[in-house]
Amino acid sequence: MNTDFYLILDTNVYRTLVHNRSYEEVRTIASLIATQNKRLKLQPLIEMASCMELISHVQDNGRHRDSCRKSILLMSLICSHEYLIPTPEIEIAKKYFGIILDNPANIAHQTAGLALEIAKYEANGYNEILSHDVEVVKKIVHKKETQMRNDFYLSIRQKDEKSSTWQLFQNDKQKRKAHLDYLQSDVFLDYIANLQLKVITNLSLKEKKENALTPEKKRFFLKDYPNRYIASMEMQRIFLEKFINCNFDLEAKQDRVNYHWDCIILHSAGQLFNNKPIVIVSNDKDLVKSAQKANTMIWNIEEYLSKLDLDIFKSVSKE
């Protein structure tokens, strides 16, 4: 397929597109979307954050179950099965250090393959092997989100021993300002880059590929990374500012831990795939703000649907 832009749709875009539709209707709109995408030279890609989020809910008993199954069906029908957006660590390891991280790459391909298998069953139950694999993904998602929540809580306690909430320096205006200034500084960007390098180093050590991380390549990475992955950096700033400006309780709302997955999506913002630009499709307020601050391409769902120009979606933006 001749492609001008590659697309990444976040989970809520998929859910919006399948809202109140039967499985048969999802197949119909998928065919219409695929036809228009081809005409417009747009190619959606499977992306790990969206994929794992959706898979983690397909065995739930709540309202998300059918929505996520239908979303996975739509994903399987409109996304390329040939290409897969690499996770940040896979992309960084290859781009900056010339190594393939086999374990993360295998997990990514297995997860994408699992989504395609789930799609085949639609509303019907699937076999025990698939059910086990879904539980594995669900545990990975739960572990990531729990670890993130715990890490932030511990960080707040360490930085502000007086805090008994999720807010930093609630009664110290001067310290709040100093920390907000820090988040806008190059020092903060360097800190994030070093954290990312630590992740790559640990993964490389596990696969005995650490020799590829030469001092020269590390220095180049630490210099280049903050300037190349601006949108992801902005998302981290916006999120961390919430703990200074208010009591941003991560346990109050489940969707607040989606920050982790949004950062992964934004890692692709402003990047090229097969030498073509990546466009993110999302209505998430902070995600859009981060991408716009970084001057990277992002469409909200209304913009995407207007390009598709399909009558069946004329009412979606009003719902």
Side-chain angles (χ1 to χ4, degrees):
M1 173 180 170
N2 190 11
T3 302
D4 284 344
F5 297 100
Y6 287 99
L7 306 183
I8 293 176
L9 281 59
D10 77 3
T11 53
N12 286 331
V13 170
Y14 283 112
R15 287 171 174 166
T16 299
L17 293 175
V18 303
H19 182 63
N20 284 339
R21 301 187 192 278
S22 67
Y23 284 93
E24 183 178 351
E25 288 171 329
V26 171
R27 287 189 169 276
T28 298
I29 66 168
S31 178
L32 294 171
I33 291 172
T35 298
Q36 291 300 87
N37 279 338
K38 186 175 182 179
R39 179 182 66 82
L40 296 166
K41 298 182 180 179
L42 306 174
Q43 178 58 69
L45 296 173
I46 294 177
E47 186 277 328
M48 275 303 97
S50 298
C51 193
M52 293 186 80
E53 275 196 274
L54 291 171
I55 290 174
S56 70
H57 291 294
V58 296
Q59 290 183 168
D60 288 356
N61 294 321
R63 59 188 176 87
H64 292 307
R65 182 172 181 260
D66 265 1
S67 172
C68 288
R69 286 195 175 193
K70 290 172 185 175
S71 295
I72 288 174
L73 174 60
L74 178 61
M75 177 190 289
S76 75
L77 294 172
I78 68 172
C79 288
S80 167
H81 294 193
E82 183 179 359
Y83 301 118
L84 178 66
I85 286 286
T87 58
E89 61 271 15
I90 295 172
E91 181 182 4
I92 290 169
K94 184 176 181 180
K95 178 183 290 185
Y96 289 97
F97 304 104
I99 57 176
I100 303 295
L101 293 174
D102 294 321
N103 190 45
N106 289 338
I107 291 174
H109 284 286
Q110 288 169 8
T111 303
L114 176 59
L116 298 180
E117 285 298 311
I118 290 170
K120 295 177 182 178
Y121 289 85
E122 298 188 0
N124 302 317
Y126 36 76
N127 61 42
E128 290 183 8
I129 295 176
L130 278 187
S131 181
H132 171 268
D133 291 344
V134 168
E135 281 301 312
V136 169
V137 172
K138 188 172 182 177
K139 287 177 181 178
I140 291 173
V141 170
H142 178 73
K143 183 179 179 180
K144 291 278 188 184
E145 294 179 348
T146 300
Q147 181 181 344
M148 191 202 80
R149 191 182 291 112
N150 292 342
D151 286 348
F152 274 108
Y153 185 81
L154 179 61
S155 179
I156 290 171
R157 301 283 84 76
Q158 290 174 338
K159 287 181 171 65
D160 184 4
E161 295 179 356
K162 296 180 181 179
S163 177
S164 59
T165 67
W166 288 84
Q167 184 172 7
L168 273 171
F169 314 123
Q170 185 173 1
N171 299 313
D172 194 324
K173 184 177 180 180
Q174 188 174 356
K175 284 187 177 180
R176 287 203 305 274
K177 183 181 183 305
H179 213 69
L180 287 170
D181 289 343
Y182 162 71
L183 294 179
Q184 296 298 324
S185 70
D186 290 342
V187 177
F188 172 70
L189 298 182
D190 292 340
Y191 169 73
I192 297 299
N194 274 282
L195 283 182
Q196 194 65 261
L197 179 58
K198 185 177 180 181
V199 171
I200 302 301
T201 301
N202 289 337
L203 291 171
S204 300
L205 283 168
K206 289 179 181 178
E207 299 191 13
K208 298 181 179 180
K209 297 176 180 178
E210 68 276 11
N211 289 340
L213 279 64
T214 64
E216 182 181 359
K217 289 180 179 179
K218 287 182 181 179
R219 284 193 296 270
F220 176 74
F221 167 76
L222 292 173
K223 180 180 179 181
D224 187 69
Y225 181 80
N227 299 313
R228 187 178 294 273
Y229 296 94
I230 303 172
S232 181
M233 295 283 194
E234 287 294 339
M235 185 66 180
Q236 293 177 74
R237 277 175 170 156
I238 289 171
F239 189 74
L240 292 172
E241 285 174 352
K242 296 178 187 293
F243 295 101
I244 303 170
N245 294 325
C246 65
N247 178 24
F248 192 65
D249 187 346
L250 288 182
E251 296 178 332
K253 293 183 179 180
Q254 175 60 29
D255 61 358
R256 287 182 173 177
V257 293
N258 288 349
Y259 150 81
H260 171 77
W261 310 108
D262 291 341
C263 282
I264 293 176
I265 290 174
L266 281 169
H267 203 267
S268 296
Q271 307 305 307
L272 298 178
F273 188 84
N274 286 347
N275 296 316
K276 299 293 183 179
I278 294 173
V279 180
I280 294 171
V281 183
S282 174
N283 273 30
D284 181 89
K285 182 179 177 181
D286 288 339
L287 198 151
V288 170
K289 184 178 178 181
S290 299
Q292 289 176 340
K293 273 194 171 185
N295 293 318
T296 55
M297 294 186 68
I298 186 164
W299 299 335
N300 60 37
I301 190 169
E302 292 80 13
E303 288 176 294
Y304 178 46
L305 293 181
S306 71
K307 295 177 189 299
L308 294 179
D309 193 27
L310 293 168
D311 289 339
I312 197 169
F313 290 126
K314 296 298 184 184
S315 63
V316 167
S317 61
K318 299 177 184 178
E319 292 179 356

